[in-house]
Amino acid sequence: MKSNNKNILLLLMLYTCVLPVKGQNVYTLDECIEAALQNNVRIKNADNDLKMAEHDKKEAFTKYFPTVSAVGSGFIANEPLVQMQMSPEAKMSMLKDGMVGGVSAALPLFTGGQIVNGNKLAKVGVEVKKLQKKQTDNEVRITVEKYFWQVVMLKEKLKTVSTVEKQLERLQYDVQSSVDAGVTTRNDLLQVQLKRNDILSGKIQLENSLSLSLSLLGQYIGAQSDSIDVAFSVSDELPQSPDELLCNHLEALERTNEYGLLKQNLKASQLQYKMAIGKNLPTIAIGGGYVYDNFIMGQDQSFWVGFATVSVPISGWWGGTHAIKKQKLSVCNAENTLQDNRDMLVIGMQNSWNNVNDAYRQIKIAHLSIEQSAENLRLNLDYYSAGTTTMSELLDAQTLYQQSRDKYVEAYTNYELKKREYLQATGR
């Protein structure tokens, strides 16, 4: 039995690597993220939103140019519209038929700043869409990481199950030999067989979960789920401490997309306030045009015209003053929101940092639990060989070992996610 126990202990520390099926594309985390940034629907829609904002900006710029229009009309009547009796013998008639046409152009000289501020507002719209696209990129990245680490965790748990299966297979062989020799009761053998059945049942559930996780990852990065695998193996060594990730949270504010959006929202409110004032100011424009007609005596005539217009919205101030005051209150709200959310963003960074540290502590605890559960299993194997412990206690020790490995994998993948969340929270 001692030699058999040594074999079991060797299997205890052995992790069988799950090799990818032939024809599968093996992705690293960076490759998964890159594929998602190219193929994910949310990224494509964010790109289109940015392009639409850029077209709005170009459209706003055209307001600086003169507005050119052309008009033309003609008519025909059964009697002249104008008839004059010049003398008893002479009669003159006009406007029985004819046509008129012309081209005019008008250039706004002053519109209360509406054109200037409208262009600035369109530029703010582009900046907002750029920041929102970065936010979408970050959300896609974190989602890819969640799917990726879920696959890694399930694969690692399957490795543990494979190791446990081999332990139980060897243990069952040894117990069967002891039963045949009359040294051990058949009850011990039945307990091992039941434990193997439980492990097999759990393995089936893990395989189904892994298949689903690969499908989700494949759909998100634009790949076939049955042709992908991930390239990562959780190390038994503790990962590096997160201390080097810590940064000044107040300084990190300017790097965050959320804070950038808050500032752009304030800028947009200020510009809308200026435009509300501009709508109630006079507008001045100049223009000119070319006109052709043949109304009088059917003779062709053409001429150039020039004009200047001044429009003063006198009655518009009755409602306009309220619109201006309303927009001013909107600016105050934007300022309040900026200050409040600024503080909340800093608090969120600190909370994210706390989560990173907590996750790292959980890894260290789980790592220590593996060492302790492995030693516990080794002792129970020796005790069982010496006949000083029961099979139930030995299988309990084996279960504790499996659970400790699973908790370590869960803590490891959770730590990687918390690091990504902290980096994004601080604009990195």
Side-chain angles (χ1 to χ4, degrees), residues 145-159:
E145 288 216 23
K146 287 179 180 178
Y147 290 149
F148 181 88
W149 292 115
Q150 179 73 11
V151 170
V152 169
M153 180 182 68
L154 292 170
K155 288 184 65 179
E156 292 295 324
K157 286 187 175 182
L158 280 172
K159 288 181 183 180

Side-chain angles (χ1 to χ4, degrees), residues 203-219:
K203 183 178 181 180
I204 293 172
Q205 293 178 353
L206 285 173
E207 289 173 341
N208 289 336
S209 298
L210 177 60
S211 177
L212 176 60
S213 297
L214 283 171
S215 296
L216 291 172
L217 177 62
Q219 188 275 335

Side-chain angles (χ1 to χ4, degrees), residues 88-223:
E89 296 81 15
K91 183 179 181 181
M92 183 176 71
S93 60
M94 295 182 297
L95 301 179
K96 183 177 181 181
D97 54 45
M99 63 176 58
V100 62
V103 178
S104 64
L107 177 66
L109 294 182
F110 178 75
T111 60
Q114 293 185 73
I115 296 178
V116 173
N117 292 321
N119 274 268
K120 291 180 179 179
L121 192 59
K123 186 177 179 180
V124 169
V126 172
E127 294 302 317
V128 167
K129 291 303 178 183
K130 287 181 179 179
L131 290 169
Q132 288 178 342
K133 183 181 182 304
K134 290 180 180 179
Q135 273 190 320
T136 302
D137 289 351
N138 287 342
E139 291 169 0
V140 168
R141 288 174 186 271
I142 198 67
T143 303
V144 170
E145 288 216 23
K146 287 179 180 178
Y147 290 149
F148 181 88
W149 292 115
Q150 179 73 11
V151 170
V152 169
M153 180 182 68
L154 292 170
K155 288 184 65 179
E156 292 295 324
K157 286 187 175 182
L158 280 172
K159 288 181 183 180
T160 301
V161 167
S162 297
T163 301
V164 171
E165 276 187 315
K166 293 183 178 180
Q167 295 171 7
L168 291 173
E169 181 182 358
R170 187 64 181 176
L171 182 59
Q172 181 176 337
Y173 174 80
D174 292 339
V175 174
Q176 181 68 61
S177 300
S178 298
V179 170
D180 293 341
V183 177
T184 305
T185 65
R186 188 167 182 82
N187 181 59
D188 287 358
L189 179 61
L190 290 174
Q191 289 187 62
V192 176
Q193 291 172 338
L194 289 172
K195 182 63 176 179
R196 289 190 67 184
N197 291 339
D198 288 340
I199 293 297
L200 180 59
S201 177
K203 183 178 181 180
I204 293 172
Q205 293 178 353
L206 285 173
E207 289 173 341
N208 289 336
S209 298
L210 177 60
S211 177
L212 176 60
S213 297
L214 283 171
S215 296
L216 291 172
L217 177 62
Q219 188 275 335
Y220 210 74
I221 67 175

Side-chain angles (χ1 to χ4, degrees), residues 7-23:
N7 291 333
I8 294 175
L9 288 173
L10 288 174
L11 287 170
L12 178 70
M13 307 308 297
L14 177 63
Y15 259 72
T16 56
C17 297
V18 179
L19 296 176
V21 179
K22 185 176 181 180

Side-chain angles (χ1 to χ4, degrees), residues 45-54 126 129-130 133:
N45 289 343
D47 286 335
N48 290 335
D49 289 341
L50 177 57
K51 291 177 182 177
M52 287 190 287
E54 289 173 344
V126 172
K129 291 303 178 183
K130 287 181 179 179
K133 183 181 182 304

Side-chain angles (χ1 to χ4, degrees), residues 27 51 62 80 96 110 129 142 163 268 270 276 296 321 351 389 406 413:
Y27 289 83
K51 291 177 182 177
T62 63
K96 183 177 181 181
F110 178 75
K129 291 303 178 183
I142 198 67
T163 301
Q270 292 169 339
I296 301 177
T321 54
N351 183 59
T389 189
D406 288 346
T413 55

Side-chain angles (χ1 to χ4, degrees), residues 73-91:
S73 63
F75 74 95
I76 184 170
N78 61 339
E79 292 291 337
L81 300 182
V82 178
Q83 299 185 35
M84 293 184 292
Q85 191 71 37
M86 307 300 294
S87 65
E89 296 81 15
K91 183 179 181 181

Side-chain angles (χ1 to χ4, degrees), residues 400-412:
L400 289 174
Y401 173 75
Q402 180 183 357
Q403 291 174 347
S404 67
R405 297 276 342 172
D406 288 346
K407 287 182 179 179
Y408 176 72
V409 172
E410 292 170 1
Y412 190 102

